[in-house]
Amino acid sequence: MSSNKADIIVGIQWGDEGKGRIVDLYAERYDVVARFGGGDNAGHTINVGEQKLALRIVPSGVLQPHVELFIGGGTVIGLDGLIAELDKLSQLGVDIARVRISDRAHVVLPYHPAADRADETARGDNPIGTTGRGIGPAYVDKVGRHGITFGDLSRADIVAQRIAFNLERRRSSQGDAGLPSERELIESTLASAQRILPHVIDGVTYIHDAMARGRVLIEGAQGSLLDVGYGTYPYVTSSHTIAGGACTGLGIGPTAIGSVIGVVKAYCTRVGAGPFPSELQDETGERLRRQGGEFGTVTGRPRRCGWFDAVAARYAVALNGLTGAAVTKLDVLSGLERIGIVTGYRLNGAAVGFGAIGQSGFEVEIEEMDGWAQAIDGVRRIADLPPAAGAYLERLESLLGVPVETVSVGPERSQLAR
Ligand code: IMP
């Protein structure tokens, strides 16, 4: 049977690019929206009128009532958080029978956030600044081959045996502190499993059937520069966030992929520690944070802000094989007299690439463009942007080297220019 190609939307900076609303926009034309990695460290916010929908786990296609929502095998998900999110969606009138979870996804257990926090404390003066959700330790258990999958949740014997093993392992290395009793944890996990099991399916069969009968949109979490292999390691998350991660995270081959759209903010932000070449630690950075509402969806932490970084963006275009881009939050730059773009990196004076980030002797080259004073939140056609905003967008497009398909000009679902 011939299959339709699946399309991918990924963030190409350090996360928080505004993927949620772009997925929401594109999802109209798809039958399934699938997530392939990460867990509730992600936070997608979609504004609908007065209502602000903050999702952590369920894909952003949720507002399109015809769309099936699939949480793929590459994710790591806590049961309590998932139940709370499903309950909240249910209260908002969403039919949660549309949510399906791959049997290959891994369960985040209460000892994972505890280990995440302990690891951060152990890093002392040099923490990663994780979201504290246990994502890293859950992936460590997966790769260490003692994790619990959503498929395992239907087998009480496996759940009990693996929880016992993992608690014992942790007790012998870190002592009893903060660890739940074995019986308590097995009972609560099995009780939560009863709520979740009706959503658990054979994920590989599901995604291949979905591509055979309709159109699948794949939604990335976090951003390419947080990828565990290709980001600013070790200041990264613990999964492959780039488009290639969609193949392993869903169990599909590279030939199953159609287009890859990168979501990119008109400036840059980063939450947590790690190098950030275009960071503005001044009044302009503060203004971007205020104007852009740059505070974490999951942790509420203020995000670090800086200029658009074309070197990092082009690196991410290559990592993902982008075919197009969506630029978000262009309106946040309105009112700035001059706008900077990082166009080059230098190490002791010599031109270098992304890999040199963080080394001593590292410097950036900044190009400046004129800003625009007018508000642009009412603009719906790219051609109607004030000339300086149009010129800035054209510059981003030429630096990215892929067509910009859509631009967000305000937080509302409808505030998009094409
Ligand atoms: P972890 O994913 O909780 O292990 O955190 C590792 C790094 O990724 C930290 O710098 C977090 O701030 C960052 N991070 C994780 N998820 C997101 C996200 O959805 N947006 C932005 N940063 C994130």
Side-chain angles (χ1 to χ4, degrees):
M1 193 179 350
S2 77
S3 265
N4 297 304
K5 303 258 189 217
D7 298 321
I8 305 182
I9 294 183
V10 282
I12 67 162
Q13 293 158 315
W14 281 280
D16 308 316
E17 297 90 353
K19 294 175 290 295
R21 53 122 28 117
I22 302 296
V23 170
D24 175 42
L25 169 76
Y26 280 70
E28 208 178 346
R29 309 196 296 266
Y30 292 83
D31 304 294
V32 174
V33 178
R35 260 192 73 171
F36 63 87
D40 68 359
N41 49 347
H44 302 254
T45 312
I46 306 169
N47 289 345
V48 195
E50 299 293 285
Q51 206 169 285
K52 204 172 190 167
L53 193 55
L55 301 171
R56 288 181 177 168
I57 302 159
V58 173
S60 306
V62 67
L63 292 177
Q64 306 286 351
H66 69 282
V67 163
E68 288 179 14
L69 306 157
F70 180 55
I71 300 167
T75 60
V76 291
I77 309 286
L79 297 177
D80 291 347
L82 178 58
I83 291 170
E85 191 160 308
L86 291 176
D87 285 348
K88 197 173 78 188
L89 287 170
S90 208
Q91 281 158 19
L92 292 171
V94 172
D95 173 13
I96 56 166
R98 290 158 55 207
V99 179
R100 294 166 171 82
I101 303 157
S102 171
D103 55 344
R104 297 291 179 145
H106 275 244
V107 181
V108 175
L109 285 133
Y111 45 74
H112 291 130
D116 196 352
R117 287 191 294 271
D119 286 346
E120 281 287 81
T121 306
R123 289 183 189 111
D125 290 344
N126 207 11
I128 289 169
T130 72
T131 59
R133 300 276 162 170
I135 304 300
Y139 278 116
V140 167
D141 278 1
K142 172 181 175 175
V143 177
R145 294 157 296 182
H146 37 252
I148 297 176
T149 68
F150 276 75
D152 292 333
L153 290 176
S154 63
R155 299 201 35 200
D157 55 333
I158 294 206
V159 171
Q161 176 233 315
R162 241 168 260 167
I163 284 178
F165 173 82
N166 281 300
L167 284 178
E168 185 45 42
R169 219 168 48 86
R170 290 186 149 81
R171 264 195 196 103
S172 61
S173 64
Q174 74 193 51
D176 259 335
L179 287 177
S181 89
E182 184 180 315
R183 218 184 94 213
E184 239 174 85
L185 184 56
I186 293 171
E187 279 174 8
S188 64
T189 304
L190 291 173
S192 301
Q194 292 315 307
R195 270 294 309 280
I196 295 303
L197 276 168
H199 298 273
V200 178
I201 51 159
D202 170 349
V204 172
T205 302
Y206 172 79
I207 198 75
H208 286 274
D209 283 352
M211 287 192 299
R213 67 182 151 83
R215 300 207 61 205
V216 174
L217 179 64
I218 301 172
E219 167 179 352
Q222 289 84 41
S224 303
L225 307 178
L226 288 172
D227 182 278
V228 67
Y230 298 96
T232 43
Y233 191 89
Y235 302 97
V236 293
T237 189
S238 296
S239 63
H240 283 293
T241 57
I242 58 176
C247 291
T248 52
L250 292 171
I252 57 178
T255 50
I257 305 302
S259 58
V260 184
I261 304 297
V263 184
V264 58
K265 232 182 266 198
Y267 51 97
C268 264
T269 61
R270 164 160 215 172
V271 54
F276 182 4
S278 67
E279 183 167 15
L280 292 164
Q281 288 173 308
D282 59 7
E283 178 48 36
T284 310
E286 187 54 47
R287 185 192 174 287
L288 290 174
R289 181 159 38 250
R290 231 182 14 249
Q291 201 85 2
E294 297 293 356
F295 297 90
T297 319
V298 175
T299 58
R301 289 181 290 179
R303 295 179 186 141
R304 299 156 66 194
C305 296
W307 296 131
F308 181 83
D309 183 336
V311 182
R314 285 183 73 92
Y315 172 70
V317 169
L319 286 178
N320 289 289
L322 288 197
T323 55
V327 173
T328 56
K329 292 191 151 182
L330 186 63
D331 55 297
V332 173
L333 300 178
S334 297
L336 285 173
E337 242 168 71
R338 305 282 288 163
I339 301 173
I341 299 178
V342 168
T343 50
Y345 291 170
R346 293 196 169 266
L347 193 64
N348 302 318
V352 286
F354 186 81
I357 279 189
Q359 294 187 38
S360 71
F362 179 90
E363 281 175 333
V364 295
E365 282 168 21
I366 299 181
E367 173 182 303
E368 282 202 350
M369 293 190 70
D370 284 339
W372 56 94
Q374 307 91 310
I376 58 169
D377 51 341
V379 174
R380 294 293 173 270
R381 288 181 349 131
I382 290 174
D384 295 337
L385 285 169
Y392 180 72
L393 196 61
E394 262 176 39
R395 184 73 183 123
L396 295 197
E397 189 169 47
S398 85
L399 288 165
L400 289 167
V402 295
V404 171
E405 298 190 355
T406 185
V407 182
S408 83
V409 291
E412 284 301 320
R413 203 178 177 201
S414 62
Q415 287 179 307
L416 292 159
R418 306 234 242 170

